[in-house]
Amino acid sequence: MERLKTVGLDFYKCLKYSSIISGILVVVVGVSSFVISRGNLMAALENMKAILFAAGSIGLIMGAVSILRKDRENEKDWLEWKKRFKIFSYRVAISIMSIIILLYGCIIDELLFMLNH
């Protein structure tokens, strides 16, 4: 039961960090594209969706490459990482955060779909 609670806490941290990253990306890209497109909300939403999909995809690629790497014993910052996440390795945390960022992009995509139909 204690291990399940620790996994939940690690997942909550991944959710929190990916929400902060997604929020920063959405605000910066949304405001700049809203200004550049001269007030076109649809263009701003499309750009927010695109940047979230790109960031999530790049994160998943990074997670996959780090999983495929063979030199797992030579990791230098393992003890520093274990201070933040008790059970998740950085490979798992990056993958989970990337999936959550992609889900935020899917939410914006669904919003765009409902606005267009």
Side-chain angles (χ1 to χ4, degrees):
M1 189 65 180
E2 186 65 33
R3 185 168 171 88
L4 185 63
K5 185 177 176 182
T6 307
V7 169
L9 184 62
D10 281 356
F11 184 79
Y12 171 73
K13 287 179 185 178
C14 287
L15 181 67
K16 180 175 69 170
Y17 295 149
S18 60
S19 296
I20 290 170
I21 291 169
S22 297
I24 290 170
L25 287 173
V26 163
V27 167
V28 169
V29 171
V31 168
S32 61
S33 64
F34 192 73
V35 169
I36 290 172
S37 68
R38 295 187 180 107
N40 188 354
L41 179 64
M42 299 303 274
L45 286 172
E46 285 287 340
N47 288 330
M48 285 186 270
K49 176 187 75 166
I51 199 70
L52 287 176
F53 281 165
S57 299
I58 290 170
L60 278 178
I61 291 171
M62 286 173 36
V65 167
S66 67
I67 288 171
L68 292 175
R69 248 184 22 188
K70 299 291 183 194
D71 57 342
R72 292 184 181 158
E73 293 82 26
N74 298 332
E75 294 173 353
K76 299 172 188 164
D77 299 328
W78 183 250
L79 293 176
E80 184 67 31
W81 184 262
K82 284 299 179 182
K83 291 178 185 175
R84 289 182 172 71
F85 293 94
K86 301 291 186 220
I87 294 185
F88 289 172
S89 68
Y90 71 91
R91 295 172 178 88
V92 173
I94 287 173
S95 299
I96 290 173
M97 286 190 271
S98 299
I99 290 170
I100 292 170
I101 290 171
L102 285 171
L103 287 175
Y104 284 129
C106 290
I107 291 170
I108 293 176
D109 188 41
E110 188 65 29
L111 178 67
L112 280 166
F113 180 76
M114 288 189 290
L115 289 174
N116 285 328
H117 290 91

